[in-house]
Amino acid sequence: MDFTYTLLIPLLPLCLFILIGLTGHKMKPAISGLIGTTGMFISAFLSYYTAYQYFFNVGKIDGVYQKIIAFNTTWLNISDKLYIDLGVLLDPISVMMLIVITTVSLMVHIYSNGYMKGEKGFQRFFASLSLFSFSMLGLVMATNIFQMYICWELVGVSSYLLISFYYEKPSAVAAGKKAFIVTRFADLGFLIGILILSFTTGTFDFITLTDPNGPAIAQGGGIAFLGLSTMTWSLIFVFMGGAGKSAMFPLHIWLPDAMEGPTPVSALIHAATMVVAGVYLVARLFPIYAISAPEGLEVVGYVGAFSSLFAAVIACTQFDIKRVLAYSTMSQIGYMMVGLGVSGYGGHEGLGYMASMFHLFTHAMFKALLFLGAGAIIHAVHSNVMNEMGGLRKKLPITHITFLIACITIAGIPGFSAFFSKDEILTAAYHHNKLIFFTQLFVAGLTAFYMFRLYFRVFWNKTPHYHHEPHEASLSMTIPLIFLAIASIFAGYIPFSELVSSDGIPFETEIEWWPVAIPSILVGIFGIGLAAIMYMKETTIPDKMSNGFNFFYKWAFNKFYLDELYLFVTKKIIFNFISRPVAWFDRHIVDGAMNGIAWVTNTTSSGIKGLQSGQLQRYGFVFVTGALLLVLLFVYILG
Amino acid sequence: MDILTLFVLVPILTIIGLLFTKDFKQVRLVSMLGMGIQLIQAGVLVFLYLAERKAGNMAQMLFTQDYMWFESLNIHYAIGVDGISVAMIALTSVVVFAGIFASWEVSYLSKEFFISLILLSSGVFGFFISLDLFTMFLFYEVAVIPMYLLIGLWGSGPKEYSAMKLTLMLMGGSAFLLVGILGIYINSSPAGGALTFNILEIAKITIPIEAQRIFFPLTFVGFGVLGALFPFHTWSPDGHASAPTAVSMLHAGVLMKLGGYGCFRVAMFLMPEAANELGWIFIILTSISVVYGAFGAIVQKDLKYINAYSSVSHCGLVLFAVLMANKTAMDGAVMQMISHGLMTALFFALIGMIYGRTHTRMINEMGGLMKVMPFLGVCYVIGGLASLGLPGLSGFVAEMTIFFGAFQHVDTFHRVVTIIACSSIVITAVYILRVVGILLLGPIKNDHYLELGDAKWFEKVSTVSLILAVAGIGLAPLWLSDMIGDSLNPIIDKITSIL
Amino acid sequence: MIAGIPLEYFLIVSTIMFFVGIYGFITRKNLITILMSIELILNSVNINFVAFNKYLYPDNLHGHFFTLFIIAVAASEAAVAIAIIINIYRHYSSIDVENVEKMKY
């Protein structure tokens, strides 16, 4: 089976980017939208075909899913040993990611045709979307860690372009800048990680790196530094990059602000695909994490657990619906990280790995649905703030139903997809680390609570006075909602463990009802119930609650003041205590020294220039005096 | 007539042609023709060079010519090129070509302006083809002196001060350099026999280590001044800020590269022992340049100052990589020279164009320019992205090669400084995005900007030719990297032979 | 040989004339006076030449030749100098040396 055609999957969006980017301003907006959507549709079709071929026809040899290099070419030789390739790697997780990206991207393309209609820069929007799809697809298909880094930077830029899409709005510009710089800082860690990793192992290649019997893993951790081996350090640095993209604490601060971008962008980039790149990165390097650097994996697990709790708490206090969803995304990605963190390598040990990928898949579907639903709501009410909404269930029936499905899914109610994936993460956590297990169980309750708080507040509660009567969105916006809702329900029935596993060998899983599934369901139902009591009708309970927990509520509402801390560090420390002094030092000390040399030369010369007055009389006087003195000297003293 | 001498001859013929021009239009036409021919020649040279290499000619230098020029001191007019010089010549011709278009509207004393500009470029071309230290120095001076006139006459702001400062500091550098070169010359024949200035001849012998210890720092600092080595970089912000557009482009794009090129062609190649011994001092200085330049750029308010500091940072990286003395890092150094040359020329061209419209370079006074001049805005963003190292554009390739090369060193010192230098990629992102955010995005601050127009055709020629080069290198770096890499082998062999 | 007048007397006179000339040359600001001082110096030298010639080598005439030469040169020098001085006077309405400083630039 020749998979070379898979090269088209990322290249098609690239061509679209170049086409729309260069000639877009001459096209009619609708045409550029149509071209973009068609291209994406072909890409999606190819991905489905590839997935079918890979999973059911040729991928499995002797019961093990193989890693297939469909295409490879050398891009740059770094040294005799190291070279950077660009290529296409097919294995279970990359094929799964192809499905996720092209599906969500296609849905978002269709949706944007309606949502962005009439916006200025419609063509620019589609060009950037294509650029993003290209880089994201390139990222997941990367054959080596450096190609991944290349695409990693490219998704960062497309994310920047899309967040700052409304570039006349200062807050959007600031948000884009923040997102880029924070992730760039994380990428520095990624780069350092790659430097160390490639230095110790002598390769970038994923297949060599992650082969459990290969040279990279066989050589062990390398020399220890501060109690951890070199390998562990490098992988922790790599994870720093992943944490930046995936908005893990404390590098998450860009994600809520990134909601300044158009809502379809939030759905595609900041919910379903780009933000899970960090999870994908860890998953991609999983064997080396699990075997050579288990401490690194611990770090992943704890960071994930803490982020997920942290974000869930904040999500309960926010009023901007997109921000609630953003924190929810962060929390769910925390789950996926936990899944990886509590996993072992091979067979049933690798349950967490499989569960994490499973959750990534289901999350992409229901979170994209939530965002697109939120987009439909915002489109109808022209506001982001949930206090200005209420009673929308009659006015937006399709949005209401699909949004409800997504909320039930994320709350982990049996029968819906997230139940299966979340449950497996919890099972893995239960067997591995009880502390993380109980944290995640608590987070599951919080998740149900804040999602239904959002749901009840928007669709039930008191109907406020709307300026325009809200009405259901056009067909191009509702079709993606319906499609994603169906996916959210049924994605859970995919036998994931038979397709994706840490070592490529399928295994069996079953639901562990006690002590994992039942408590999680109960916690979820409790959360929903609480939300229903507080928000279904207009009550004063929320205010009382927030007053009761006054201090804590304030902290959470202000996102634990992390933004302020960052502002302090960047504005105060970097600007005022590093850059300004450096600039001052440069102008006054270094340049001052140079000017000082010039000044000394000048002063000396003007000091002695009096000697060369040009006045003959003065010269004569000096000459005669000198001559006389010499005569005196020779005649009377020396003579 | 051999092709290399043509590179010096064509500018001179262009200058003679310019002397006979009657009006402004003719001046532009002649300059454009001359530099267009130069660009085509550079293209031809690249192909000839690659063909020759493919044919199996593995000599270090190709197309060599050697004429005796001044017999009693054994000075020759010796020329020849390897892959590195070819790449630098190609860079220079692109930048000069773009520079002619960027100064399309210089009407004050235009004939004299273009004559000085082209004289400068002939010096640069001569420098890159020279194999004889003395002629190399001569061309270096030819390249530096017209700068004084160009800034002093056609500049803006405190132009006399800046021109004087720039010239004096570079002359100070040349003084060091001259001593260094003479030192090499005097020690070029330890076994007795005729002294020589020829680089290839000198490379065959080993200069006594005592002499190297004295003359390596002199030579390195001499070239380093031009390459904006901390703390001899302060001519750069003032000089760039006052210089007219094309001069900034040429200066940052090409002239600063003379420093980097000289550092490895002369200082590292001829005196590797001292480089090995004393390199750490300069590695510290260059790491400071890299980080310090970037931090300095964050708080600047004048567009040209921002770019000047950014050049300090990027050129610091060139010298940093040169000092790492291994093939990968040096390969990266050359690529960084080319990449920085192109993108900084692009930046200065755009700044000149924006200044020509808004009559201010203070970023605080501008805003939302993307809306009124989308073409220039997009070009500026592309330049910015190249500068902060976006994959697909040239900066990324060069920086990554440097970092990976530098990290190959076994000892901790080199690796720690590499990580420090790496951190500049974050700081670069901060200042680039700050400028883009304030200058191009956001609301328009001044209503009269709404009437400004977008790029004219000659401005488009200028920027597009640079962007194509930047993207070309970024997308397909392999051929460039290989061309440079092959030529580095003799240099690396010489350096490693002493270890 | 002049009876009763020893050589020293001539030398004393010429020395006095010489130093008066030097003093005038250095201290005076008026160009004419400076010129006159120079003439004094030259003439003191002339006296020396003649006196030495007469007392030490009465058979030779070298001293006289020199003196005549100096007188001739001094005459032409005075002519040139006065021409310059007149021009300066026309230009600056003064013949003070300090005013002529501007000639430096």
Side-chain angles (χ1 to χ4, degrees), chain B residues 60-94:
Chain B
Q60 189 184 349
M61 296 288 172
L62 299 184
F63 313 117
T64 49
Q65 293 285 334
D66 197 328
Y67 305 104
M68 178 61 79
W69 189 40
F70 196 82
E71 194 152 6
S72 58
L73 289 176
N74 201 8
I75 297 173
H76 292 247
Y77 171 70
I79 51 174
V81 285
D82 60 1
I84 302 159
S85 340
V86 170
M88 300 308 292
I89 287 171
L91 162 76
T92 311
S93 45
V94 173

Side-chain angles (χ1 to χ4, degrees), chain B residues 88 91 253 257 310-311 313-319 321 329-343 386-387 394-402 473 480 484:
Chain B
M88 300 308 292
L91 162 76
K257 308 300 165 298
S310 135
S311 293
S313 171
H314 283 119
C315 286
L317 208 52
V318 172
L319 296 181
M330 281 199 167
D331 198 344
V334 179
M335 286 207 273
Q336 171 79 350
M337 281 197 249
I338 292 167
S339 140
H340 174 254
L342 293 169
M343 71 200 183
S387 180
S394 59
F396 176 78
V397 182
E399 280 175 9
M400 290 305 134
T401 318
I402 290 177
I473 295 173
L480 178 65
I484 297 165

Side-chain angles (χ1 to χ4, degrees), chain B residues 453-499:
Chain B
D454 206 355
K456 303 202 182 72
W457 71 268
F458 51 86
E459 292 171 328
K460 286 186 180 170
V461 172
S462 177
T463 48
V464 168
S465 56
L466 289 169
I467 289 177
L468 282 181
V470 167
I473 295 173
L475 290 172
L478 192 58
W479 66 271
L480 178 65
S481 154
D482 281 355
M483 187 165 103
I484 297 165
D486 291 343
S487 306
L488 279 170
N489 285 333
I491 299 174
I492 299 300
D493 289 345
K494 165 101 175 157
I495 291 171
T496 44
S497 68
I498 55 141
L499 296 175

